[in-house]
């Protein structure tokens, strides 16, 4: 495609854009058909091997996700979309293959008819008949409204029950935003969501009425943080991890740091976080005392508890040593069945996110790459951080993982699927490391890593659970890297 010449005039270029969009839609339809046939072939193969009916099809979405360079969760949704289009919505599939609908708009139609039976979904698909051009010129909202109305006419009871059960899907999510900001999103029942927003608005209006110069948005955001955490600064019994080089921490170097749960942050911002109560607001200084190869920043009580939890962070430094250039961490082995606390910290710092290619979910399981029950050692080289879904998928028949650590290279692993395809994953570079050209090529062809929600609340500096501390604790663990 890159070798073909582009059009010379405006109309030619627009025609090409239109043709390419129709080609993308046709390819999406072809992918849907291929996914459904692959699912059928896998189920037949598993049935021949004696796999129970309830377990047939497990791992299919994960294989499709790897082939499409998507996360496993996204792969499962794409498989569900393909099944609905191929088996229950032929008119929508025809519109997709002809270019009248794109993949996103087809997804909207499938989503809005998900609560219907197969027969009712087919009837709605025939009623709407997207392949006739009925939605040409219509926006996404019009498309969704038409699908909802048709679904309600067919089966009002199911649509009503779906609305009643939607509260089970309530959740809170976190994703990174530019400039060291994050999006904290809550999916709530409408009554609760409106109530929360109304209360935050009332609080902001009351503050502004008393002369507070902050904007309404700033006041609402601050109130949300304070009422959720119980502290003005927003940190309550939680360990915030920050990984940076010793040069950034001690010598004013500009090498960025990494904040698990967010991603890369500027060096100056990271240093400010260590020395200010809230970023940009200085706090009183306090002496540092060595303890267990760490540095504790406290307000001076004899028992180690801060007399004023709002004064600032307790800062604990832990040292990580990496191989020059590659950033490969160096550690020790363990003969135990489970990874030690130190090994888990090590793997968390090294892997950052789930090591399955294209999956950027937070680490939930510290897994043996070669399973322990097949004599896989409990070592850092044989350990990998995985999300819960990927760890379960890896244990299915036909899946195989092997580490491929080489001298002078960052930790890597190879994942093989039941079809014989292999995918490679390389640990992301730590601050201060400079991946070689070969590393960059491997990463570009295998896995893209981005930020994910932060890990669950950690432990107190001495290894005990933070829940055992009756006072509100603000702590910051800094892992600084010698590279």
């Amino acid at each position: 495609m890159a070798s073909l010449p582009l059009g010379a005039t405006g109309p030619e270029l627009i025609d090409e854009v239109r043709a390419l969009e129709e080609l993308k839609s046709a390819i999406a339809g072809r992918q849907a058909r291929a996914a459904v046939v692959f699912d059928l072939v896998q189920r037949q193969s598993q049935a021949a091997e004696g796999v129970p009916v309830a377990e047939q099809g497990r791992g299919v979405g994960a294989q499709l996700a790897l082939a499409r360079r998507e996360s496993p969760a996204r792969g499962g949704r794409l498989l569900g979309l393909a099944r609905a289009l191929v088996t229950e919505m032929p008119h929508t599939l025809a519109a997709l293959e002809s270019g009248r609908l794109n993949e996103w708009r087809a997804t909207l139609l499938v989503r809005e008819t998900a609560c219907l039976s197969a027969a009712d979904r087919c009837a709605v698909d025939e009623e709407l008949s997207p392949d006739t051009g009925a939605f040409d010129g219509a926006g996404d909202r019009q498309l969704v409204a038409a699908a909802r109305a048709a679904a309600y006419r067919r089966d009002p009871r199911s649509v009503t029950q779906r609305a009643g059960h939607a509260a089970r899907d309530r959740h809170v999510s976190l994703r990174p935003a530019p400039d060291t900001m994050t999006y904290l999103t809550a999916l709530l029942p409408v009554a609760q969501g409106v109530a929360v927003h109304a209360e935050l608005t009332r609080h902001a209006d009351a503050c502004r009425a008393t002369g507070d110069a902050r904007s309404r948005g700033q006041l609402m955001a601050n109130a949300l943080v304070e009422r959720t955490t119980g502290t003005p600064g927003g940190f309550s019994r939680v360990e915030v991890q920050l990984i940076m080089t010793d040069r950034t921490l001690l010598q004013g170097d500009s090498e960025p740091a990494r904040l698990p749960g967010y991603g890369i942050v500027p060096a100056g911002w990271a240093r400010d976080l260590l020395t200010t109560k809230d970023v940009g607001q200085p706090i009183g200084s306090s002496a540092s005392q060595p303890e267990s190869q760490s540095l504790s920043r406290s307000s001076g009580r004899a028992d180690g508890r801060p007399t004023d939890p709002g004064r600032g962070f307790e800062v604990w430094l832990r040292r990580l040593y990496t191989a020059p250039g590659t950033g490969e961490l160096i550690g020790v082995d363990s003969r135990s069945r489970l990874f030690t606390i130190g090994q888990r910290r090590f793997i968390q710092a090294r892997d950052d996110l789930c090591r399955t290619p294209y999956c950027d979910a937070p680490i939930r399981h510290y897994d043996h790459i070669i399973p322990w029950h097949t004599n896989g050692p409990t070592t850092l080289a044989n350990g990998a951080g995985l999300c819960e879904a990927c760890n379960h998928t890896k244990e299915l028949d036909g899946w195989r993982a092997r580490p491929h650590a080489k001298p002078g290279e960052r930790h890597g692993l190879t994942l093989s699927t039941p079809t014989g395809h292999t995918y490679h994953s390389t640990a992301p570079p730590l601050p201060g490391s400079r991946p070689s050209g070969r590393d960059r090529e491997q990463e570009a062809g295998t896995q893209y890593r981005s930020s994910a929600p932060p890990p669950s609340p950690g432990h107190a500096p001495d290894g005990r659970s933070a829940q055992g501390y009756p006072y509100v604790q603000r702590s910051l663990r800094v892992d600084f890297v010698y590279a």
Side-chain angles (χ1 to χ4, degrees):
M1 294 292 291
S3 64
L4 298 177
L6 291 172
T9 65
E12 290 178 349
L13 292 170
I14 290 297
D15 289 342
E16 181 173 345
V17 169
R18 175 70 261 172
L20 291 173
E21 184 64 26
E22 292 176 353
L23 179 60
K24 285 165 55 181
S25 297
I27 291 173
R30 180 73 176 184
Q31 279 185 318
R33 292 187 183 276
V36 171
V37 174
F38 175 71
D39 180 40
L40 178 61
V41 170
Q42 289 289 288
R43 288 175 180 273
Q44 290 175 342
S45 176
Q46 292 170 358
E49 295 173 358
V51 177
V53 175
E55 298 181 8
Q56 292 175 13
R58 292 182 61 187
V60 172
Q63 293 186 70
L64 292 171
L66 287 169
R68 293 191 60 169
R69 295 191 173 101
E70 299 278 6
S71 69
R74 172 72 173 161
R77 291 194 294 269
L78 289 170
L79 177 58
L81 170 67
R83 286 183 188 140
L85 289 174
V86 173
T87 62
E88 299 173 0
M89 304 184 72
H91 292 279
T92 302
L93 179 59
L96 179 64
E97 292 177 324
S98 65
R100 290 186 179 275
L101 284 180
N102 59 29
E103 190 174 27
W104 168 244
R105 288 163 69 84
T107 302
L108 294 177
L109 290 174
V110 170
R111 186 186 69 187
E112 296 303 325
T113 57
C115 60
L116 301 179
S117 65
D120 285 337
R121 179 180 255 178
C122 287
V124 169
D125 179 63
E126 185 175 2
E127 177 184 340
L128 299 179
S129 296
D131 56 331
T132 63
F135 292 115
D136 287 351
D140 289 352
R141 291 187 177 182
Q142 292 176 277
L143 188 73
V144 168
R148 286 180 179 174
Y152 187 80
R153 287 193 298 269
R154 286 287 170 180
D155 191 351
R157 181 178 179 181
S158 294
V159 175
T160 303
Q161 287 179 342
R162 176 186 178 184
H165 295 161
R168 294 181 300 185
D169 296 329
R170 61 188 182 276
H171 67 273
V172 178
S173 61
L174 185 75
R175 56 193 177 92
D179 303 323
T180 65
M181 302 291 284
T182 59
Y183 296 106
L184 177 67
T185 304
L187 178 64
L188 301 172
V190 62
Q192 296 178 10
V194 170
V196 170
H197 189 270
E199 174 59 24
L200 293 176
T201 302
R202 184 204 62 76
H203 171 79
D205 291 340
C207 290
R208 288 178 63 83
T210 60
D212 197 312
R214 290 173 292 179
S215 69
R216 179 176 285 102
Q218 291 172 336
L219 289 166
M220 292 173 69
N222 289 352
L224 176 64
V225 172
E226 293 171 8
R227 296 187 184 190
T228 302
T229 64
T231 61
F235 293 95
S236 175
R237 295 179 182 175
V238 65
E239 184 177 85
V240 180
Q241 300 171 354
L242 184 66
I243 302 176
M244 60 199 305
T245 67
D246 56 319
R247 299 181 299 279
T248 296
L249 177 63
L250 305 175
Q251 300 176 10
D253 192 75
S254 60
E255 177 70 31
R258 190 173 78 195
L259 182 65
Y262 179 82
I264 299 300
V265 295
W269 185 92
R271 284 191 294 271
D272 286 343
L273 188 62
L274 301 180
T275 57
T276 58
K277 175 180 178 181
D278 295 311
V279 176
Q281 300 181 12
I283 62 173
S285 62
S286 57
S288 297
Q289 301 176 0
E291 178 179 339
S292 302
Q293 296 184 348
S294 299
L295 296 177
S296 171
R297 179 171 181 167
S298 177
S299 55
R301 279 182 50 162
D303 60 1
R305 299 179 182 179
T307 54
D308 181 5
R311 287 188 61 188
F313 291 110
E314 285 185 310
V315 179
W316 296 79
L317 302 182
R318 294 189 177 92
R319 292 170 291 184
L320 304 176
Y321 291 89
T322 66
T326 65
E328 172 65 12
L329 288 173
I330 303 171
V332 297
D333 294 350
S334 171
R335 297 182 179 180
S336 64
R337 164 67 178 87
L338 301 177
F339 290 100
T340 65
I341 293 177
Q343 287 176 318
R344 292 198 296 270
R345 286 176 180 161
F346 188 99
I347 293 173
Q348 174 70 63
R350 183 193 69 193
D351 293 350
D352 189 28
L353 303 170
C354 176
R355 283 292 298 278
T356 299
Y358 315 113
C359 182
D360 56 5
I363 293 174
R364 300 300 183 196
H365 292 176
Y366 296 91
D367 177 62
H368 291 72
I369 300 175
I370 300 175
W372 184 80
H373 60 79
T374 59
N375 299 321
T378 305
T379 62
L380 296 171
N382 192 48
L386 298 177
C387 68
E388 184 175 357
C390 288
N391 192 22
H392 292 324
T393 299
K394 171 181 168 289
E395 298 300 320
L396 298 176
D397 290 340
W399 291 77
R400 185 172 177 266
R402 288 292 181 271
H404 58 84
K406 296 181 180 179
E409 294 184 3
R410 297 197 309 276
H411 182 267
L413 63 88
T414 300
L415 182 66
S416 300
T417 65
T419 58
H421 292 83
T422 60
Y423 302 88
H424 302 283
S425 170
T426 302
L430 285 170
S433 61
R434 294 290 186 271
S436 64
R438 180 178 179 182
D439 286 339
R440 288 192 292 268
E441 290 176 4
Q442 187 178 25
E443 289 166 6
T446 58
Q447 183 176 8
Y448 172 78
R449 307 189 65 78
S450 61
S451 298
S456 57
H459 46 270
D462 63 356
R464 293 175 292 177
S465 171
Q467 298 298 328
Y469 283 67
Y471 60 93
V472 176
Q473 175 181 313
R474 291 156 55 85
S475 65
L476 184 70
R477 194 183 90 213
V478 185
D479 293 331
F480 62 103
V481 183
Y482 290 90

